[in-house]
Amino acid sequence: MSNKVDFDNYTDNYNQLLRESTGFFSASEEYFARYKIELVRKMIDRSPKRILEYGCGIGRNIPFLRSAFPDAQIEGSDISAASLEIARRDNPAVNFFVEHGDVQQGEPVDLIFVAGVFHHIPVSQRAAVTRKLFSRLSPGGELFVFEHNPFNPVTRRIVDNCPYDEDAVLLRPAELKSLMRDASLTLEGAGYCLFVPPKLSALTWLENVLGWLPLGGQYWVRGLRPA
Ligand SMILES: C[S@@+](CC[C@H](N)C(=O)[O-])C[C@H]1O[C@@H](n2cnc3c(N)ncnc32)[C@H](O)[C@@H]1O
């Protein structure tokens, strides 16, 4: 692993790099954002009033969060101030803020969405970040974390070849679950996802039945802050 990647340096070509590395799966990089948020929307059974996307980068997921949860107040945060400038420009109605260590920011939220962030957090800081996420949840609030699946060889190759993944240390679902448990979250579920490219639309039903199979491109873990 080399030094931590600074996403301030990738704001101009973030989408292009993403498209280059995942284009074989879907020609539209928006597909991944829509897919994950739809998965979350289908799973939760109440309407969150406040939602935080932690590590939102340039805000690719924000429009999909807004359309999936039109009544919620949505916020985004990141350590990359330059990424947040773009997120703000493209989503003027949303509040974005820069993360500063353990500082508690904003009101508690009912849902925290985190996608593709943990593998960029130095291993020694992951427990503290997970505790911070716990502390930002309201009682009964839920955390959804999506991560690259280290068991999938194609995913590993993508990560190895992507310039902004230079600092990536992938984590297994068991590691993410144990971070969540140690932060006092109750595990509510986990699954593998992104098995079938959207162009094979006749097979997309498989996505709903293969969650147990460690071959999806990514996986998710869901944790609850007990009421
Ligand atoms: C691969 S990008 C993902 C961005 C966004 N979640 C998405 O799905 O498009 C990873 C993001 O995590 C952010 N990040 C890395 N370490 C972080 C930390 N400790 N706290 C918050 N954000 C972090 C980076 O600055 C970067 O914007």
Side-chain angles (χ1 to χ4, degrees):
M1 186 194 57
S2 45
N3 288 337
K4 185 158 171 56
V5 165
D6 184 347
F7 277 80
D8 279 8
N9 301 325
Y10 289 97
T11 52
D12 290 342
N13 59 353
Y14 182 86
N15 276 334
Q16 190 196 331
L17 290 170
L18 183 64
R19 212 173 300 135
E20 279 169 14
S21 52
T22 58
F24 72 94
F25 193 91
S26 167
S28 157
E29 73 277 2
E30 287 186 349
Y31 174 76
F32 302 98
R34 194 181 306 111
Y35 174 100
K36 289 175 206 164
I37 286 154
E38 191 52 20
L39 209 146
V40 172
R41 194 190 60 77
K42 281 191 195 143
M43 275 192 274
I44 61 174
D45 40 23
R46 61 184 196 137
S47 304
K49 289 198 185 67
R50 292 178 66 103
I51 300 175
L52 169 68
E53 181 180 358
Y54 180 85
C56 67
I58 59 171
R60 291 178 332 109
N61 301 311
I62 297 287
F64 300 100
L65 280 170
R66 292 188 74 199
S67 64
F69 302 103
D71 299 326
Q73 189 179 327
I74 294 175
E75 300 179 322
S77 73
D78 203 287
I79 54 171
S80 163
S83 298
L84 292 181
E85 268 175 42
I86 298 192
R88 232 174 251 124
R89 181 199 68 197
D90 294 346
N91 303 277
V94 173
N95 177 37
F96 294 97
F97 57 90
V98 180
E99 290 288 344
H100 296 291
D102 282 345
V103 178
Q104 186 69 31
Q105 286 160 287
E107 299 283 307
V109 298
D110 307 315
L111 174 66
I112 302 182
F113 175 81
V114 189
V117 177
F118 265 80
H119 62 268
H120 290 293
I121 302 173
V123 175
S124 62
Q125 294 172 19
R126 289 176 183 171
V129 169
T130 317
R131 285 196 299 272
K132 176 165 75 171
L133 295 176
F134 173 88
S135 73
R136 296 237 177 115
L137 283 171
S138 54
E142 294 190 90
L143 170 66
F144 280 85
V145 180
F146 285 80
E147 265 305 319
H148 290 324
N149 177 11
F151 301 125
N152 181 319
V154 180
T155 298
R156 283 209 311 272
R157 205 183 62 222
I158 292 171
V159 170
D160 286 345
N161 292 320
C162 182
Y164 62 68
D165 277 336
E166 221 180 287
D167 67 348
V169 180
L170 299 189
L171 59 168
R172 287 176 284 113
E175 292 175 76
L176 185 51
K177 285 180 190 170
S178 114
L179 283 168
M180 287 203 190
R181 265 193 232 100
D182 292 349
S184 306
L185 288 151
T186 304
L187 288 183
E188 290 204 300
Y192 295 94
C193 58
L194 287 163
F195 294 89
V196 182
K199 55 192 165 212
L200 302 181
S201 55
L203 296 178
T204 47
W205 61 273
L206 282 170
E207 290 282 342
N208 299 326
V209 295
L210 291 180
W212 56 274
L213 184 70
L215 279 179
Q218 301 210 354
Y219 69 91
W220 56 271
V221 182
R222 175 186 186 184
L224 169 85
R225 174 172 179 155

